[in-house]
Amino acid sequence: MLLTALEFLGLVAFAASGALAAVRARLDVFGVVVVGLTTALGGGVIRDVLLGIHPPTTLRNWPYLAVCAGTALVVFVFHPQVARLRRGVLLADALGLGVFATAGTTIALNAGATVYAACLIGMTTGIGGGAVRDLLLREIPLVLRKEIYAVAALAGSALVAGGHALRLPQGPVTVVAAAVVVTFRMVALWRRWNAPVARATE
């Protein structure tokens, strides 16, 4: 139940951030919904494909699609109000990152993946949807730019895997790890932490 609740929370957060990015790119209502769905569901689909779960969970259960499409439509209608909530949008994106990275790691561990594989799958679950969103909008994926993003997801995945190795209660560990990812991401934005970038060539 906790894992499902966290997944839906992440879906709403990522669908909202994806839909807002599509609105800023001047896509029509169909495009906004497609990008919102892709951002929210892309990471989970990649995760399930890597784990051999066919068809992917989010495509077998209509509530996933309904929640994401509904969120995207709400953002399309009320995008001026949503756009003014810049900090809220950044927090929603960080929340989606934390929830999907940790939930993806937990699902991978429960499916029998090794700790190493679960960490990578968890990170991919967190960043996958956003990467596909940026490609659809013809942007360099955020994860490949200088901002601290994938590192935060990997840190949360490692915490979940560590808790699993120590046989700690799965639910509390997942929640704490997600909170760490969100905090890490928001502090990195606030303090403007960036990964090193190569010096420009002559």
Side-chain angles (χ1 to χ4, degrees):
M1 287 293 293
L2 177 63
L3 195 59
T4 301
L6 287 174
E7 270 205 303
F8 274 100
L9 189 61
L11 288 173
V12 171
F14 267 2
S17 66
L20 187 60
V23 168
R24 287 173 175 161
R26 304 298 298 163
L27 271 61
D28 63 14
V29 61
F30 179 75
V32 170
V33 172
V34 168
V35 173
L37 286 170
T38 301
T39 307
L41 303 179
V45 170
I46 295 171
R47 175 202 66 209
D48 288 352
V49 169
L50 291 174
L51 292 174
I53 301 173
H54 301 293
T57 305
T58 53
L59 301 183
R60 281 189 281 117
N61 300 312
W62 67 265
Y64 289 95
L65 294 170
V67 167
C68 296
T71 301
L73 287 173
V74 169
V75 171
F76 179 82
V77 175
F78 298 103
H79 67 88
Q81 293 86 344
V82 176
R84 284 195 289 267
L85 302 174
R86 182 177 179 276
R87 291 182 179 178
V89 173
L90 290 174
L91 178 60
D93 186 74
L95 183 63
L97 179 67
V99 168
F100 274 91
T102 53
T105 307
T106 300
I107 291 170
L109 290 169
N110 290 342
T114 63
V115 170
Y116 169 74
C119 287
L120 294 180
I121 290 172
M123 181 187 70
T124 303
T125 305
I127 68 176
V132 177
R133 171 201 65 204
D134 293 343
L135 291 174
L136 287 174
L137 298 178
R138 296 188 296 178
E139 297 179 2
I140 298 174
L142 179 65
V143 67
L144 300 181
R145 286 180 260 168
K146 59 183 180 179
E147 289 190 15
I148 302 295
Y149 199 79
V151 174
L154 185 58
S157 297
L159 286 175
V160 172
H164 176 79
L166 295 173
R167 298 185 179 181
L168 298 176
Q170 193 175 75
V173 169
T174 302
V175 172
V176 171
V180 169
V181 175
V182 174
T183 303
F184 190 3
R185 172 67 177 151
M186 295 307 294
V187 171
L189 288 170
W190 173 49
R191 301 293 296 176
R192 296 184 180 179
W193 291 343
N194 292 307
V197 177
R199 296 177 60 183
T201 57
E202 294 294 337

